[in-house]
Amino acid sequence: MRQRPDFDDAALARAAQALSQDIGPVEPLLPRPLPRAAPRACRGRRAAGRTVGAAAVIALLSVLASERRQADGTPADPPLADRGAFVPRYAAPAVAPPVWSDAAPDRYRLGEATGSARIQAGGLREDTLTIGAFGVQEAPYLRLVAAETAEPDGEGSLFVTLARRAAEAGGLSVARTGERARLATRFGALNTVDATLSDPEGRRACTAFRLGAALRLEGWLCAPLGQLPEPQSVACTVERLGALPGAAPSPAVAEMLAQPRSAACPPEEPATTAALPTPRKAVRKNAARVRHSRPASP
């Protein structure tokens, strides 16, 4: 082999020796054998083995837990078929309805009204005075509840009170409500709301009322022939409530009933006066007159 004149074998040997001193001894590069890929069948058997092993461990833990529970005397969980209904740990206590007992309606009077009374277990009394019937559209219908209570302001809204009292009066329901108002009476301010009461046989337009005082007054007045009663008729009907001779109401109720009557509601006027005017007869001022709506202008 012909070499170039400037090629120095001694210089190349010295460079190789210096490089070997700097990097140290170098192993020869030999090809390494690559690992063989496991066949798919082997991998499936391996996964199945792991699954079986995990199931065996879980079964063993369940057996150990059951044996420990039996050793401690703790009863095992009953089967689903023997379990009762779910009972929450912190269930709210059930509120029992008030217990009432019938009493003689010998405390209050209101014109020609028929009365009934009941007394709670705590001694609070509730009297109901009724004039007419809901199904007789040709006559007024009045239902007034006089309830002795320790809470003069009442409970809930007027709509809630009306719905509850309507359900107690033979299963009536409130179909709709309308205008609200406040009327002045000798007992105080009377809150009212126009409402339509209904039962399976029909509907009636009424004015519901509530007054919160020592004797809480709740109920409604319905005028004949589907009309709303005049506001003054509602106020006078409530004002005519009085105590029967010989009754002994509480001092607060007696003081309430002793308030002087309003000038617009004389005591001699009955609460069952017909609402519609008749020919050749003057309409009584404090009758349960119907409320006539003004005709709309074209």
Side-chain angles (χ1 to χ4, degrees):
M1 180 178 179
R2 186 179 179 182
Q3 298 181 355
R4 295 179 55 181
D6 57 350
F7 187 82
D8 190 356
D9 292 338
L12 182 58
R14 288 194 300 270
Q17 185 179 2
L19 181 60
S20 63
Q21 292 177 357
D22 291 339
I23 64 175
V26 178
E27 295 181 359
L29 298 177
L30 299 176
R32 296 181 180 178
L34 297 177
R36 286 188 175 184
R40 292 186 179 180
C42 297
R43 284 184 292 180
R45 287 195 297 269
R46 197 174 299 172
R50 286 196 295 266
T51 303
V52 173
V57 171
I58 294 175
L60 179 61
L61 292 177
S62 301
V63 172
L64 293 177
S66 177
E67 292 179 355
R68 181 175 181 180
R69 185 164 50 243
Q70 293 177 0
D72 296 341
T74 304
D77 294 337
L80 294 178
D82 299 337
R83 296 181 187 177
F86 171 74
V87 179
R89 180 177 297 179
Y90 301 103
V95 179
V99 179
W100 296 91
S101 59
D102 294 335
D106 55 358
R107 182 164 295 189
Y108 305 108
R109 63 180 177 182
L110 182 61
E112 301 174 0
T114 59
S116 61
R118 56 182 185 174
I119 300 177
Q120 283 190 18
L124 296 179
R125 180 185 174 103
E126 183 178 283
D127 289 72
T128 302
L129 303 174
T130 306
I131 297 177
F134 183 80
V136 182
Q137 298 280 346
E138 295 77 12
Y141 174 52
L142 169 69
R143 182 178 177 87
L144 185 145
V145 179
E148 298 176 358
T149 175
E151 301 177 0
D153 294 335
E155 54 182 11
S157 64
L158 179 54
F159 176 81
V160 174
T161 301
L162 173 60
R164 178 167 57 88
R165 293 300 183 185
E168 295 175 352
L172 300 179
S173 60
V174 183
R176 61 179 296 272
T177 58
E179 182 180 355
R180 298 174 180 266
R182 289 172 66 91
L183 306 177
T185 69
R186 67 188 181 106
F187 302 136
L190 185 70
N191 296 317
T192 66
V193 59
D194 296 338
T196 300
L197 303 181
S198 64
D199 68 354
E201 303 297 330
R203 297 185 174 190
R204 295 197 68 167
C206 311
T207 297
F209 54 81
R210 184 178 67 177
L211 186 146
L215 184 66
R216 190 172 66 207
L217 306 180
E218 301 169 349
W220 56 80
L221 175 65
C222 310
L225 304 179
Q227 302 294 322
L228 285 171
E230 290 287 345
Q232 190 61 36
S233 299
V234 179
C236 292
T237 299
V238 175
E239 280 208 4
R240 292 190 183 98
L241 178 69
L244 286 172
S250 63
V253 174
E255 181 182 359
M256 170 184 168
L257 297 178
Q259 297 296 322
R261 296 178 183 268
S262 302
C265 302
E268 65 272 8
E269 292 291 339
T272 57
T273 306
L276 297 177
T278 56
R280 299 180 183 178
K281 288 185 179 180
V283 180
R284 299 179 182 179
K285 293 183 179 180
N286 298 320
R289 297 191 300 271
V290 300
R291 187 186 308 176
H292 299 283
S293 58
R294 184 177 301 174
S297 58

